Amino acid sequence: PELSEEPPAEMVKMTKSKTFQAYLPNCHRTYSCIHCRAHLANHDELISKAMQFFLMQSFQGSQGRAYLFNSVVNVGCGPAEERVLLTGLHAVADIYCENCKTTLGWKYEHAFESSQKYKEGKFIIELAHMIKDNGWE
C-alpha cells in the first residue's frame, strides 16, 4: 500500500500563528507594555519635552498623562474617527498592543487646526500602560 503524504482532513490541526514582535536594541532606553512587556518605543522617538514646554502643553490620555512619540513598534491601529480633544478637533485611531491587545493610546491621523499639524502621524501612549526598560537609572 502507498503511504499518503498528507494526513486525513480530520487529523489536521489548525494553529494560530504568534504575532510577530519587534525587539528594540538593548543599548537604548526603551518603553514597554506594562501588561506583557512587549517593546513599544525607543526613548529617542519621544517628542522632546522641551518642545512640549515651548508649546505650553503636556499630553493627556483618558487615564492620565501620556507621551507623544514619532514612531512605535508592536502596535496595531484601529479605524480613524473624529474626536474633540483638549487641543481641538482631530482624526485619531486607537492603538493597541499587538501582543496582549490592550488599548495604549492613539495615533493622530489628521489635525484640523494648523497649530496642531505637527501631531499628524505621531502616537500618544498613556504612561499608565508602559514601563521603562533597558538602561534607566
Side-chain angles (χ1 to χ4, degrees), residues 7-124:
E10 63 270 12
M11 293 179 64
V12 175
K13 276 189 176 178
M14 297 302 288
T15 59
K16 184 178 178 185
S17 62
K18 184 172 176 145
T19 303
F20 175 77
Q21 194 176 75
Y23 293 92
L24 297 171
N26 285 335
C27 60
H28 295 288
R29 293 182 293 174
T30 58
Y31 298 92
S32 299
C33 177
I34 198 168
H35 309 285
C36 71
R37 300 301 285 264
H39 287 177
L40 297 175
N42 184 319
H43 182 66
D44 294 341
E45 294 300 316
L46 176 66
I47 302 292
S48 168
K49 288 186 181 184
M51 181 180 176
Q52 290 180 26
F53 178 76
F54 173 73
L55 296 168
M56 299 303 288
Q57 67 181 16
S58 62
F59 293 94
Q60 288 290 125
S62 61
Q63 296 186 342
R65 290 184 53 220
Y67 284 166
L68 182 68
F69 292 94
N70 283 311
S71 66
V72 295
V73 296
N74 299 319
V75 299
C77 204
E81 62 183 34
E82 291 182 5
R83 291 187 197 155
V84 178
L85 304 174
L86 294 174
T87 55
L89 181 64
H90 298 273
V92 298
D94 286 337
I95 60 170
Y96 56 89
C97 175
E98 278 284 5
N99 191 52
C100 69
K101 307 303 181 204
T102 300
T103 300
L104 303 168
W106 61 87
K107 178 181 180 185
Y108 287 101
E109 298 288 352
H110 179 70
F112 292 92
E113 295 181 25
S114 59
S115 66
Q116 302 298 306
K117 292 286 187 186
Y118 75 97
K119 295 178 184 176
E120 291 181 346
K122 310 268 189 301
F123 301 84
I124 284 284

